[in-house]
Structures are given as C-alpha cells and as structure tokens.
C-alpha cells in the first residue's frame, strides 16, 4: 500500500463537490473543476461518489481522495460510513479514502477499527480520518489511520459551525500526531490556508471557496450589501 | 432605449469569460457559471462573444453586458473595437454593450463618438465605456456613454498592472461623473468589492476570482508556497 505522503505531496487539495441544487452540479462540471485545480497547481482532489470520481480520474492525473456520502436513517455518520461505501470510492478510481472517524454510531453497527483495517487489507489504499477534535484524531491514529483531517470540526454538535476554520485543532493535532494532519473545513481564503500550513498542517483542503462559484458570489454580494445597507 | 440603471441594479456583476487554455473554456461552462452567479445573487453578467452570450441568455434571466473581443493587427483596441463587434454581441442577446473607450486608434479608423451613437441608434442598448483613467471617463460621458467602467486601468501602458484594483480611479470618477461608475479590474476579494461601492461605484464586476477556478487555485497555492518555502 502506498504511504499517504508518497501518494499526496504537501500543498493544496481541492475538494470538487457540488450539491444537487447547485448550478454546477454534475460529474462533467466536477471533472473540469478538477482539471482546473490541476492547472492551478493543486496536489490532489477530494471527491464524492462513483460518478464524480470516475469522471475526475478520466480528466486529471492527480491523486484522488474519495469519499462516498451516504445517508442512513440509523446514523448521523454520512462520510463513507461503511466498508461498502469505501469500496465504491476505490472501485471508481480513488487512490485513498476519507472516512468519518468520530465515535458516533455507524450504520449496521460497523466499527471504526474494522473499517480502517479492511480498507487497508482489502482495498490496499491509505485512510484519511475525518475528525472533529483532538481525542478523535489521537484515537484514529492509534487505529492505524494514515492521515487525520479536521473536516468535521464544528459539525458534530447541534450548534451552527463558526464562520472560520478551526486552526486551533490543526495546531493541537500537529503537535500530538505522528501522521500527517490535513486542514479541512471552512478554509475560505489563501491566508487561512497559509495559516494552517504554518501551524503544522501537511496539506489543506479547500472546496466551496474554489469549486462552488455561487457560494463565492454570495460572499461578494453579502460584503457589498453590508456596505450599501 | 433602457437606461443603464433600469437595466442593471446596484450590486455585483459577474464576468463569465474563459480563455482557450482554461479547463473551464467553452460556452456550456460559461452558461453554468452565469447560472451560479444568478443563484448567488449577482445583478448582471458580463460575457464575451456570440456563443457564450447566447448560451448564457438561454440559461439565466440576468441582464447581460456583452462584449466582443476582437484582435485587429492595426490596433491595440480589442474590447468591442467596431460597430460590427457591438452588433454581434447584441444580436447574440446582450442587453447592453461594453466598449474600449480609450483614445487609442481603432481598427479601420472608427471613431468613439460615432460608435457610441450608432450603438444607441441602431442597436438601441446602453453603452458601458471601459476606460483607464479619469480623463477618458469624462470624455466618454460627454460622448454619451451610459456608464463608465474602470476595466482598462493598468492595461494601457507597457508596465505590468499592479496586483490590486484601482480604487482611486473609482473615487475620482464617482466624484466627477453624473453617469454610474462601474468598478472593474483585479477585484479579487469581497473586501475589494465593498470598498469600491463605498467609494461611490454603482456596481462592481468580478471575473477571475469567481469564474476562473484555476486562477483561484493559483492564489491558494502561492500563499501556501510563501509559507512553506
């Protein structure tokens, strides 16, 4: 199995995901977004689902961290909850898999340690563990995760997430872990991304600020409205 | 003929233009970018060329400021240099036309005053004059331009343009003109856009920072590289 750091260079990972209501929804758009990311110097792509991953694999030569978002009624875990979800991403062409690594109940009672082991043994790809806090990061590393990402910070409580990224978690993880730390979640500006690297992140994932143009437009519009009343 | 301010509300105009080498090149991508701009709350689209304008008109209900970029060997003017170029944009579906309004020689010796008059009389749409300095803005207003845009500030000398937008020109134009001032050119952040409105701009045009994802990626990558050396 390839090591995470052999697969993915230090730098910017671009998340190419659209929601069904987005004007840019669809794998042909996501594939071109990934091609644009490659043109601009990204080191990897994060993508969701068989169709998008396949299209992106056809269109770029960048490594893909795949996820399968799957919503089960029995569980709040939706980022690659089960081994079948992980296998789907790898079958589609993902070079690594990101999974929810919070302690929340998984569908069908699947266990995190078993999931990580099976991805390593049966799919032969590294695992990036999406966590929400330091303890989850330490735990996922002990279970064998190859990289820890801050993706879920701010998204596991009932409260709305803060506006900015959780740079404190990046710093805490980087000080405590041996495996690479990936900053992800609400990174909206180049300054945010640079700050994460400065605090010890190996890479940073940026999504909406690059690949969801209507979200970028909303930010401009909202700044203008604050000014014009 | 519709007044500029009846056609276009105060706010954000999104320029949807890709270059041939861009991953996102092509009218189907530009049309979806325009749809995303509409989703995000833009008040208008700026677009180049018959194919893109037609596709955008099909995909959104926003007003379109059309241009035809046309490179003539005899002239440095390339933003809608001639009446035929203006007519092409309007025939494609543009609701207004932006033209180069610098004093530089136009192809075939065409004159700015005649061009503005013919667009008004024969095409029945308002004219946005793209200028590079205050004098050009005052002159274009006298010739009947319906709005003045700072689009060409920094692009008429031999020197490379500065990194940021020319907010001083926005302020000077807004203090001197009766017609609306449109801020355009290197507006990269919501803060830039808000600053232009504060200085008296009626609207601000943002392009690359929204609709050219590889340019956004380059900005993130460059910030990260400055940090990691």
């Amino acid at each position: 199995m390839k090591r995470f750091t052999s697969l993915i260079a230090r730098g910017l990972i671009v998340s190419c995901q659209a929601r069904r209501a987005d004007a840019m929804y669809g794998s042909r758009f996501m594939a071109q977004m990934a091609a644009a990311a490659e043109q601009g110097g990204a080191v990897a792509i994060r993508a969701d689902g068989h169709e998008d991953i396949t299209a992106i694999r056809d269109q770029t030569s960048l490594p893909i961290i795949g996820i399968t978002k799957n919503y089960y009624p029995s569980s709040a875990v939706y980022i690659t909850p089960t081994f079948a979800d992980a296998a789907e991403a790898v079958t589609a062409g993902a070079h690594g898999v990101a999974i929810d690594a919070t302690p929340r109940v998984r569908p069908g009672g699947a266990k995190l340690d078993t999931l990580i082991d099976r991805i390593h043994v049966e799919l032969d790809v590294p695992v990036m563990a999406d966590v929400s806090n330091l303890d989850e990061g330490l735990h996922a590393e002990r279970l064998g995760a190859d990289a820890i990402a801050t993706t879920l910070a701010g998204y596991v409580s009932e409260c709305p997430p803060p506006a900015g990224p959780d740079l404190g978690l990046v710093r805490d993880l980087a000080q405590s872990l041996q495996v690479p730390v990936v900053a992800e979640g609400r990174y909206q500006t180049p300054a945010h991304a640079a700050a994460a690297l400065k605090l010890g992140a190996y890479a940073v994932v940026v999504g909406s600020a690059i690949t969801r143009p209507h979200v970028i437009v909303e930010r401009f519009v909202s700044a203008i409205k604050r000014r014009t009343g």
Side-chain angles (χ1 to χ4, degrees), chain A residues 83-97:
Chain A
F83 178 74
D85 294 321
E88 182 180 321
V90 173
T91 307
H95 306 81
V97 175

Side-chain angles (χ1 to χ4, degrees), chain A residues 154-160:
Chain A
Y155 297 107
V156 296
S157 83
E158 300 297 311
C159 314

Side-chain angles (χ1 to χ4, degrees), chain A residues 52-142:
Chain A
D52 284 4
I53 293 169
T54 307
I56 290 167
R57 178 103 190 213
D58 284 350
Q59 200 66 230
T60 80
S61 58
L62 290 180
I64 301 167
I65 300 170
I67 60 174
T68 302
K69 283 189 177 164
N70 213 340
Y71 299 83
Y72 294 82
S74 57
S75 167
V77 172
Y78 64 89
I79 299 176
T80 325
T82 69
F83 178 74
D85 294 321
E88 182 180 321
V90 173
T91 307
H95 306 81
V97 175
I99 62 172
D100 180 312
T102 65
R104 298 178 294 182
V105 173
R106 308 185 83 88
K111 296 291 171 210
L112 185 59
D113 54 352
T114 319
L115 178 57
I116 293 174
D117 284 348
R118 288 189 68 190
I119 294 173
H120 283 159
V121 173
E122 297 179 42
L123 303 177
D124 198 35
V125 301
V127 173
M128 183 160 95
D130 290 349
V131 303
S132 74
N133 61 39
L134 177 61
D135 282 346
E136 291 166 9
L138 292 166
H139 184 63
E141 182 182 54
R142 278 194 301 273

Side-chain angles (χ1 to χ4, degrees), chain A residues 31-50:
Chain A
Q32 290 313 119
M33 280 290 182
E38 186 167 27
Q39 265 187 346
V43 298
I45 301 295
R46 176 169 168 134
D48 167 36
H50 192 283

Side-chain angles (χ1 to χ4, degrees), chain A residues 24-35:
Chain A
M24 282 283 173
Y25 181 76
S27 57
R28 66 178 187 162
F29 296 120
M30 289 307 101
Q32 290 313 119
M33 280 290 182

